PDB file of all heavy atoms in Angstrom:
ATOM      1  N   PHE A   1     -47.571  36.456 -35.500  1.00  0.00           N
ATOM      2  CA  PHE A   1     -47.013  35.858 -34.443  1.00  0.00           C
ATOM      3  C   PHE A   1     -48.026  34.845 -33.806  1.00  0.00           C
ATOM      4  O   PHE A   1     -47.736  33.829 -33.482  1.00  0.00           O
ATOM      5  CB  PHE A   1     -46.511  36.821 -33.419  1.00  0.00           C
ATOM      6  CG  PHE A   1     -45.376  37.724 -33.752  1.00  0.00           C
ATOM      7  CD1 PHE A   1     -45.259  39.090 -33.372  1.00  0.00           C
ATOM      8  CD2 PHE A   1     -44.425  37.252 -34.731  1.00  0.00           C
ATOM      9  CE1 PHE A   1     -44.214  39.878 -33.796  1.00  0.00           C
ATOM     10  CE2 PHE A   1     -43.414  38.185 -35.170  1.00  0.00           C
ATOM     11  CZ  PHE A   1     -43.350  39.427 -34.665  1.00  0.00           C
ATOM     12  N   ALA A   2     -49.263  35.519 -33.586  1.00  0.00           N
ATOM     13  CA  ALA A   2     -50.347  34.662 -32.977  1.00  0.00           C
ATOM     14  C   ALA A   2     -50.660  33.481 -33.668  1.00  0.00           C
ATOM     15  O   ALA A   2     -50.940  32.308 -33.314  1.00  0.00           O
ATOM     16  CB  ALA A   2     -51.579  35.616 -32.708  1.00  0.00           C
ATOM     17  N   ARG A   3     -50.662  33.670 -35.156  1.00  0.00           N
ATOM     18  CA  ARG A   3     -51.049  32.547 -36.006  1.00  0.00           C
ATOM     19  C   ARG A   3     -50.024  31.512 -36.055  1.00  0.00           C
ATOM     20  O   ARG A   3     -50.267  30.334 -36.364  1.00  0.00           O
ATOM     21  CB  ARG A   3     -51.122  33.141 -37.398  1.00  0.00           C
ATOM     22  CG  ARG A   3     -52.420  33.971 -37.666  1.00  0.00           C
ATOM     23  CD  ARG A   3     -52.495  34.695 -38.871  1.00  0.00           C
ATOM     24  NE  ARG A   3     -52.853  33.875 -40.014  1.00  0.00           N
ATOM     25  CZ  ARG A   3     -52.668  34.180 -41.306  1.00  0.00           C
ATOM     26  NH1 ARG A   3     -52.225  35.291 -41.575  1.00  0.00           N
ATOM     27  NH2 ARG A   3     -53.046  33.351 -42.181  1.00  0.00           N
ATOM     28  N   GLN A   4     -48.838  31.738 -35.534  1.00  0.00           N
ATOM     29  CA  GLN A   4     -47.798  30.756 -35.397  1.00  0.00           C
ATOM     30  C   GLN A   4     -47.903  29.886 -33.972  1.00  0.00           C
ATOM     31  O   GLN A   4     -47.055  29.009 -33.782  1.00  0.00           O
ATOM     32  CB  GLN A   4     -46.354  31.420 -35.381  1.00  0.00           C
ATOM     33  CG  GLN A   4     -46.082  31.988 -36.707  1.00  0.00           C
ATOM     34  CD  GLN A   4     -44.867  32.964 -36.668  1.00  0.00           C
ATOM     35  OE1 GLN A   4     -44.014  32.746 -35.901  1.00  0.00           O
ATOM     36  NE2 GLN A   4     -44.697  33.931 -37.637  1.00  0.00           N
ATOM     37  N   GLY A   5     -48.920  30.372 -33.327  1.00  0.00           N
ATOM     38  CA  GLY A   5     -49.210  29.689 -32.104  1.00  0.00           C
ATOM     39  C   GLY A   5     -48.478  30.413 -30.828  1.00  0.00           C
ATOM     40  O   GLY A   5     -48.541  29.971 -29.632  1.00  0.00           O
ATOM     41  N   ILE A   6     -47.769  31.563 -31.030  1.00  0.00           N
ATOM     42  CA  ILE A   6     -47.088  32.338 -29.982  1.00  0.00           C
ATOM     43  C   ILE A   6     -48.321  33.109 -29.228  1.00  0.00           C
ATOM     44  O   ILE A   6     -49.198  33.678 -29.809  1.00  0.00           O
ATOM     45  CB  ILE A   6     -46.232  33.317 -30.539  1.00  0.00           C
ATOM     46  CG1 ILE A   6     -45.008  32.638 -31.221  1.00  0.00           C
ATOM     47  CG2 ILE A   6     -45.653  34.259 -29.512  1.00  0.00           C
ATOM     48  CD1 ILE A   6     -44.012  33.477 -31.987  1.00  0.00           C
ATOM     49  N   GLY A   7     -48.264  33.180 -27.928  1.00  0.00           N
ATOM     50  CA  GLY A   7     -49.080  34.054 -27.189  1.00  0.00           C
ATOM     51  C   GLY A   7     -48.522  35.431 -27.169  1.00  0.00           C
ATOM     52  O   GLY A   7     -47.356  35.716 -27.135  1.00  0.00           O
ATOM     53  N   VAL A   8     -49.354  36.438 -27.290  1.00  0.00           N
ATOM     54  CA  VAL A   8     -48.937  37.745 -27.383  1.00  0.00           C
ATOM     55  C   VAL A   8     -49.568  38.767 -26.333  1.00  0.00           C
ATOM     56  O   VAL A   8     -50.786  38.721 -26.212  1.00  0.00           O
ATOM     57  CB  VAL A   8     -49.119  38.428 -28.824  1.00  0.00           C
ATOM     58  CG1 VAL A   8     -48.648  39.907 -28.878  1.00  0.00           C
ATOM     59  CG2 VAL A   8     -48.437  37.516 -29.918  1.00  0.00           C
ATOM     60  N   ILE A   9     -48.785  39.596 -25.631  1.00  0.00           N
ATOM     61  CA  ILE A   9     -49.312  40.514 -24.776  1.00  0.00           C
ATOM     62  C   ILE A   9     -49.070  41.831 -25.378  1.00  0.00           C
ATOM     63  O   ILE A   9     -47.925  42.249 -25.748  1.00  0.00           O
ATOM     64  CB  ILE A   9     -48.671  40.460 -23.364  1.00  0.00           C
ATOM     65  CG1 ILE A   9     -49.176  39.203 -22.625  1.00  0.00           C
ATOM     66  CG2 ILE A   9     -49.205  41.754 -22.525  1.00  0.00           C
ATOM     67  CD1 ILE A   9     -48.531  38.993 -21.278  1.00  0.00           C
ATOM     68  N   PHE A  10     -50.156  42.657 -25.663  1.00  0.00           N
ATOM     69  CA  PHE A  10     -50.055  43.969 -26.445  1.00  0.00           C
ATOM     70  C   PHE A  10     -50.407  44.986 -25.604  1.00  0.00           C
ATOM     71  O   PHE A  10     -51.614  45.098 -25.129  1.00  0.00           O
ATOM     72  CB  PHE A  10     -50.811  43.758 -27.735  1.00  0.00           C
ATOM     73  CG  PHE A  10     -50.827  44.861 -28.636  1.00  0.00           C
ATOM     74  CD1 PHE A  10     -49.902  44.970 -29.566  1.00  0.00           C
ATOM     75  CD2 PHE A  10     -51.731  45.930 -28.589  1.00  0.00           C
ATOM     76  CE1 PHE A  10     -49.786  46.010 -30.631  1.00  0.00           C
ATOM     77  CE2 PHE A  10     -51.722  46.970 -29.487  1.00  0.00           C
ATOM     78  CZ  PHE A  10     -50.755  47.064 -30.395  1.00  0.00           C
ATOM     79  N   ILE A  11     -49.486  45.916 -25.291  1.00  0.00           N
ATOM     80  CA  ILE A  11     -49.775  47.212 -24.484  1.00  0.00           C
ATOM     81  C   ILE A  11     -49.658  48.392 -25.446  1.00  0.00           C
ATOM     82  O   ILE A  11     -48.722  48.510 -26.113  1.00  0.00           O
ATOM     83  CB  ILE A  11     -48.803  47.289 -23.262  1.00  0.00           C
ATOM     84  CG1 ILE A  11     -49.045  46.086 -22.299  1.00  0.00           C
ATOM     85  CG2 ILE A  11     -49.158  48.532 -22.535  1.00  0.00           C
ATOM     86  CD1 ILE A  11     -48.094  46.056 -21.270  1.00  0.00           C
ATOM     87  N   SER A  12     -50.665  49.252 -25.319  1.00  0.00           N
ATOM     88  CA  SER A  12     -50.445  50.540 -26.127  1.00  0.00           C
ATOM     89  C   SER A  12     -51.307  51.629 -25.400  1.00  0.00           C
ATOM     90  O   SER A  12     -52.453  51.305 -24.940  1.00  0.00           O
ATOM     91  CB  SER A  12     -51.021  50.378 -27.581  1.00  0.00           C
ATOM     92  OG  SER A  12     -51.114  51.572 -28.223  1.00  0.00           O
ATOM     93  N   SER A  13     -50.807  52.851 -25.449  1.00  0.00           N
ATOM     94  CA  SER A  13     -51.535  54.027 -24.900  1.00  0.00           C
ATOM     95  C   SER A  13     -52.482  54.529 -25.944  1.00  0.00           C
ATOM     96  O   SER A  13     -53.301  55.307 -25.690  1.00  0.00           O
ATOM     97  CB  SER A  13     -50.650  55.143 -24.625  1.00  0.00           C
ATOM     98  OG  SER A  13     -49.745  55.435 -25.649  1.00  0.00           O
ATOM     99  N   GLU A  14     -52.507  53.997 -27.180  1.00  0.00           N
ATOM    100  CA  GLU A  14     -53.403  54.230 -28.198  1.00  0.00           C
ATOM    101  C   GLU A  14     -54.630  53.313 -28.095  1.00  0.00           C
ATOM    102  O   GLU A  14     -54.506  52.151 -28.510  1.00  0.00           O
ATOM    103  CB  GLU A  14     -52.938  54.225 -29.545  1.00  0.00           C
ATOM    104  CG  GLU A  14     -51.911  55.418 -29.801  1.00  0.00           C
ATOM    105  CD  GLU A  14     -51.505  55.457 -31.306  1.00  0.00           C
ATOM    106  OE1 GLU A  14     -52.426  55.443 -32.240  1.00  0.00           O
ATOM    107  OE2 GLU A  14     -50.272  55.609 -31.674  1.00  0.00           O
ATOM    108  N   LEU A  15     -55.848  53.740 -27.421  1.00  0.00           N
ATOM    109  CA  LEU A  15     -56.838  52.814 -27.197  1.00  0.00           C
ATOM    110  C   LEU A  15     -57.365  52.110 -28.434  1.00  0.00           C
ATOM    111  O   LEU A  15     -57.839  51.055 -28.468  1.00  0.00           O
ATOM    112  CB  LEU A  15     -57.877  53.657 -26.490  1.00  0.00           C
ATOM    113  CG  LEU A  15     -59.138  52.854 -25.919  1.00  0.00           C
ATOM    114  CD1 LEU A  15     -58.709  51.721 -25.041  1.00  0.00           C
ATOM    115  CD2 LEU A  15     -60.130  53.730 -25.232  1.00  0.00           C
ATOM    116  N   THR A  16     -57.408  52.906 -29.556  1.00  0.00           N
ATOM    117  CA  THR A  16     -57.936  52.294 -30.850  1.00  0.00           C
ATOM    118  C   THR A  16     -57.142  51.145 -31.169  1.00  0.00           C
ATOM    119  O   THR A  16     -57.659  50.004 -31.680  1.00  0.00           O
ATOM    120  CB  THR A  16     -57.868  53.406 -31.952  1.00  0.00           C
ATOM    121  OG1 THR A  16     -58.692  54.444 -31.502  1.00  0.00           O
ATOM    122  CG2 THR A  16     -58.601  52.771 -33.229  1.00  0.00           C
ATOM    123  N   GLU A  17     -55.847  51.152 -30.934  1.00  0.00           N
ATOM    124  CA  GLU A  17     -55.048  50.016 -31.326  1.00  0.00           C
ATOM    125  C   GLU A  17     -55.298  48.794 -30.454  1.00  0.00           C
ATOM    126  O   GLU A  17     -55.452  47.773 -31.032  1.00  0.00           O
ATOM    127  CB  GLU A  17     -53.410  50.432 -31.013  1.00  0.00           C
ATOM    128  CG  GLU A  17     -52.853  51.306 -32.040  1.00  0.00           C
ATOM    129  CD  GLU A  17     -51.317  51.341 -31.783  1.00  0.00           C
ATOM    130  OE1 GLU A  17     -50.807  50.985 -30.661  1.00  0.00           O
ATOM    131  OE2 GLU A  17     -50.561  51.721 -32.677  1.00  0.00           O
ATOM    132  N   VAL A  18     -55.400  48.987 -29.193  1.00  0.00           N
ATOM    133  CA  VAL A  18     -55.621  47.810 -28.216  1.00  0.00           C
ATOM    134  C   VAL A  18     -56.938  47.150 -28.653  1.00  0.00           C
ATOM    135  O   VAL A  18     -56.942  45.904 -28.726  1.00  0.00           O
ATOM    136  CB  VAL A  18     -55.587  48.221 -26.848  1.00  0.00           C
ATOM    137  CG1 VAL A  18     -55.967  47.071 -25.849  1.00  0.00           C
ATOM    138  CG2 VAL A  18     -54.284  49.020 -26.464  1.00  0.00           C
ATOM    139  N   ILE A  19     -57.982  47.860 -28.829  1.00  0.00           N
ATOM    140  CA  ILE A  19     -59.313  47.201 -29.079  1.00  0.00           C
ATOM    141  C   ILE A  19     -59.532  46.611 -30.332  1.00  0.00           C
ATOM    142  O   ILE A  19     -60.404  45.806 -30.627  1.00  0.00           O
ATOM    143  CB  ILE A  19     -60.460  48.216 -28.662  1.00  0.00           C
ATOM    144  CG1 ILE A  19     -60.478  49.325 -29.715  1.00  0.00           C
ATOM    145  CG2 ILE A  19     -60.450  48.679 -27.230  1.00  0.00           C
ATOM    146  CD1 ILE A  19     -61.641  50.299 -29.412  1.00  0.00           C
ATOM    147  N   ASN A  20     -58.629  46.994 -31.218  1.00  0.00           N
ATOM    148  CA  ASN A  20     -58.734  46.544 -32.667  1.00  0.00           C
ATOM    149  C   ASN A  20     -57.748  45.391 -32.899  1.00  0.00           C
ATOM    150  O   ASN A  20     -58.032  44.576 -33.862  1.00  0.00           O
ATOM    151  CB  ASN A  20     -58.700  47.579 -33.614  1.00  0.00           C
ATOM    152  CG  ASN A  20     -59.865  48.483 -33.864  1.00  0.00           C
ATOM    153  OD1 ASN A  20     -60.858  48.069 -34.443  1.00  0.00           O
ATOM    154  ND2 ASN A  20     -59.792  49.719 -33.222  1.00  0.00           N
ATOM    155  N   VAL A  21     -56.615  45.310 -32.203  1.00  0.00           N
ATOM    156  CA  VAL A  21     -55.598  44.393 -32.433  1.00  0.00           C
ATOM    157  C   VAL A  21     -55.780  43.246 -31.603  1.00  0.00           C
ATOM    158  O   VAL A  21     -55.600  42.053 -31.958  1.00  0.00           O
ATOM    159  CB  VAL A  21     -54.150  44.991 -32.339  1.00  0.00           C
ATOM    160  CG1 VAL A  21     -53.143  43.937 -32.469  1.00  0.00           C
ATOM    161  CG2 VAL A  21     -53.948  46.031 -33.501  1.00  0.00           C
ATOM    162  N   ALA A  22     -56.106  43.439 -30.377  1.00  0.00           N
ATOM    163  CA  ALA A  22     -56.300  42.463 -29.214  1.00  0.00           C
ATOM    164  C   ALA A  22     -57.413  41.591 -29.464  1.00  0.00           C
ATOM    165  O   ALA A  22     -58.589  42.100 -29.817  1.00  0.00           O
ATOM    166  CB  ALA A  22     -56.069  43.049 -27.963  1.00  0.00           C
ATOM    167  N   ASP A  23     -57.372  40.273 -29.152  1.00  0.00           N
ATOM    168  CA  ASP A  23     -58.551  39.371 -29.069  1.00  0.00           C
ATOM    169  C   ASP A  23     -59.272  39.532 -27.841  1.00  0.00           C
ATOM    170  O   ASP A  23     -60.484  39.377 -27.699  1.00  0.00           O
ATOM    171  CB  ASP A  23     -58.107  37.959 -29.364  1.00  0.00           C
ATOM    172  CG  ASP A  23     -57.458  37.713 -30.636  1.00  0.00           C
ATOM    173  OD1 ASP A  23     -57.958  37.994 -31.685  1.00  0.00           O
ATOM    174  OD2 ASP A  23     -56.192  37.366 -30.583  1.00  0.00           O
ATOM    175  N   THR A  24     -58.467  39.669 -26.668  1.00  0.00           N
ATOM    176  CA  THR A  24     -59.029  40.009 -25.436  1.00  0.00           C
ATOM    177  C   THR A  24     -58.299  41.159 -24.746  1.00  0.00           C
ATOM    178  O   THR A  24     -57.229  41.264 -24.925  1.00  0.00           O
ATOM    179  CB  THR A  24     -58.827  38.695 -24.409  1.00  0.00           C
ATOM    180  OG1 THR A  24     -59.442  37.576 -25.092  1.00  0.00           O
ATOM    181  CG2 THR A  24     -59.507  38.938 -23.195  1.00  0.00           C
ATOM    182  N   THR A  25     -59.107  42.123 -24.181  1.00  0.00           N
ATOM    183  CA  THR A  25     -58.470  43.338 -23.560  1.00  0.00           C
ATOM    184  C   THR A  25     -58.806  43.250 -22.070  1.00  0.00           C
ATOM    185  O   THR A  25     -59.943  43.188 -21.654  1.00  0.00           O
ATOM    186  CB  THR A  25     -58.981  44.615 -24.108  1.00  0.00           C
ATOM    187  OG1 THR A  25     -58.522  44.615 -25.600  1.00  0.00           O
ATOM    188  CG2 THR A  25     -58.390  45.774 -23.489  1.00  0.00           C
ATOM    189  N   TYR A  26     -57.712  43.463 -21.179  1.00  0.00           N
ATOM    190  CA  TYR A  26     -57.832  43.580 -19.922  1.00  0.00           C
ATOM    191  C   TYR A  26     -57.489  45.013 -19.545  1.00  0.00           C
ATOM    192  O   TYR A  26     -56.737  45.715 -20.131  1.00  0.00           O
ATOM    193  CB  TYR A  26     -56.740  42.773 -19.035  1.00  0.00           C
ATOM    194  CG  TYR A  26     -57.018  41.343 -19.067  1.00  0.00           C
ATOM    195  CD1 TYR A  26     -56.455  40.401 -19.899  1.00  0.00           C
ATOM    196  CD2 TYR A  26     -57.763  40.609 -18.068  1.00  0.00           C
ATOM    197  CE1 TYR A  26     -56.663  39.073 -19.962  1.00  0.00           C
ATOM    198  CE2 TYR A  26     -58.066  39.300 -17.979  1.00  0.00           C
ATOM    199  CZ  TYR A  26     -57.502  38.459 -18.960  1.00  0.00           C
ATOM    200  OH  TYR A  26     -57.772  37.170 -18.990  1.00  0.00           O
ATOM    201  N   VAL A  27     -58.404  45.673 -18.648  1.00  0.00           N
ATOM    202  CA  VAL A  27     -58.486  47.121 -18.502  1.00  0.00           C
ATOM    203  C   VAL A  27     -57.834  47.237 -16.927  1.00  0.00           C
ATOM    204  O   VAL A  27     -58.397  46.466 -16.033  1.00  0.00           O
ATOM    205  CB  VAL A  27     -59.756  47.790 -18.597  1.00  0.00           C
ATOM    206  CG1 VAL A  27     -59.572  49.222 -18.503  1.00  0.00           C
ATOM    207  CG2 VAL A  27     -60.390  47.310 -19.970  1.00  0.00           C
ATOM    208  N   MET A  28     -56.912  48.170 -16.810  1.00  0.00           N
ATOM    209  CA  MET A  28     -56.450  48.392 -15.492  1.00  0.00           C
ATOM    210  C   MET A  28     -56.581  49.746 -14.909  1.00  0.00           C
ATOM    211  O   MET A  28     -56.678  50.679 -15.822  1.00  0.00           O
ATOM    212  CB  MET A  28     -54.829  48.137 -15.565  1.00  0.00           C
ATOM    213  CG  MET A  28     -54.576  46.581 -15.821  1.00  0.00           C
ATOM    214  SD  MET A  28     -52.835  46.126 -15.574  1.00  0.00           S
ATOM    215  CE  MET A  28     -52.637  46.551 -13.732  1.00  0.00           C
ATOM    216  N   ARG A  29     -56.591  49.883 -13.745  1.00  0.00           N
ATOM    217  CA  ARG A  29     -56.642  51.236 -12.941  1.00  0.00           C
ATOM    218  C   ARG A  29     -56.047  50.997 -11.618  1.00  0.00           C
ATOM    219  O   ARG A  29     -56.247  50.059 -10.966  1.00  0.00           O
ATOM    220  CB  ARG A  29     -58.036  51.857 -12.785  1.00  0.00           C
ATOM    221  CG  ARG A  29     -57.995  53.110 -12.063  1.00  0.00           C
ATOM    222  CD  ARG A  29     -59.334  53.743 -11.757  1.00  0.00           C
ATOM    223  NE  ARG A  29     -59.275  54.802 -10.877  1.00  0.00           N
ATOM    224  CZ  ARG A  29     -59.339  56.000 -11.075  1.00  0.00           C
ATOM    225  NH1 ARG A  29     -59.692  56.362 -12.347  1.00  0.00           N
ATOM    226  NH2 ARG A  29     -59.402  56.959 -10.208  1.00  0.00           N
ATOM    227  N   ASP A  30     -55.047  51.979 -11.356  1.00  0.00           N
ATOM    228  CA  ASP A  30     -54.458  51.886  -9.882  1.00  0.00           C
ATOM    229  C   ASP A  30     -53.889  50.539  -9.586  1.00  0.00           C
ATOM    230  O   ASP A  30     -53.966  50.079  -8.505  1.00  0.00           O
ATOM    231  CB  ASP A  30     -55.480  52.274  -8.845  1.00  0.00           C
ATOM    232  CG  ASP A  30     -55.920  53.679  -9.071  1.00  0.00           C
ATOM    233  OD1 ASP A  30     -55.170  54.521  -9.518  1.00  0.00           O
ATOM    234  OD2 ASP A  30     -57.090  53.985  -8.663  1.00  0.00           O
ATOM    235  N   GLY A  31     -53.239  49.910 -10.492  1.00  0.00           N
ATOM    236  CA  GLY A  31     -52.575  48.640 -10.255  1.00  0.00           C
ATOM    237  C   GLY A  31     -53.401  47.361 -10.175  1.00  0.00           C
ATOM    238  O   GLY A  31     -52.977  46.285  -9.734  1.00  0.00           O
ATOM    239  N   MET A  32     -54.708  47.609 -10.556  1.00  0.00           N
ATOM    240  CA  MET A  32     -55.665  46.482 -10.552  1.00  0.00           C
ATOM    241  C   MET A  32     -56.312  46.286 -11.767  1.00  0.00           C
ATOM    242  O   MET A  32     -56.500  47.211 -12.630  1.00  0.00           O
ATOM    243  CB  MET A  32     -56.720  46.713  -9.514  1.00  0.00           C
ATOM    244  CG  MET A  32     -56.181  47.077  -7.987  1.00  0.00           C
ATOM    245  SD  MET A  32     -57.474  47.651  -6.842  1.00  0.00           S
ATOM    246  CE  MET A  32     -58.455  46.130  -6.718  1.00  0.00           C
ATOM    247  N   ILE A  33     -56.778  45.080 -12.091  1.00  0.00           N
ATOM    248  CA  ILE A  33     -57.508  44.769 -13.345  1.00  0.00           C
ATOM    249  C   ILE A  33     -59.040  45.093 -13.019  1.00  0.00           C
ATOM    250  O   ILE A  33     -59.623  44.635 -12.097  1.00  0.00           O
ATOM    251  CB  ILE A  33     -57.502  43.362 -13.762  1.00  0.00           C
ATOM    252  CG1 ILE A  33     -56.001  43.209 -14.326  1.00  0.00           C
ATOM    253  CG2 ILE A  33     -58.546  43.038 -14.812  1.00  0.00           C
ATOM    254  CD1 ILE A  33     -55.762  41.734 -14.779  1.00  0.00           C
TER     255      ILE A  33
END
């Protein structure tokens, strides 16, 4: 999808997934980045 020029937001409770699939990862706690 990304290679087609689409922007992707990827959320997962599996941390390994997020850090290996995402190009950039935003980390949140208590409603804040």
Side-chain angles (χ1 to χ4, degrees):
F1 297 148
R3 292 169 77 193
Q4 296 166 22
I6 296 172
V8 181
I9 294 178
F10 183 88
I11 299 174
S12 174
S13 55
E14 292 191 49
L15 186 53
T16 303
E17 281 190 346
V18 178
I19 64 178
N20 282 286
V21 174
D23 300 301
T24 304
T25 297
Y26 289 90
V27 186
M28 294 192 68
R29 177 186 167 105
D30 296 330
M32 304 173 66
I33 289 178

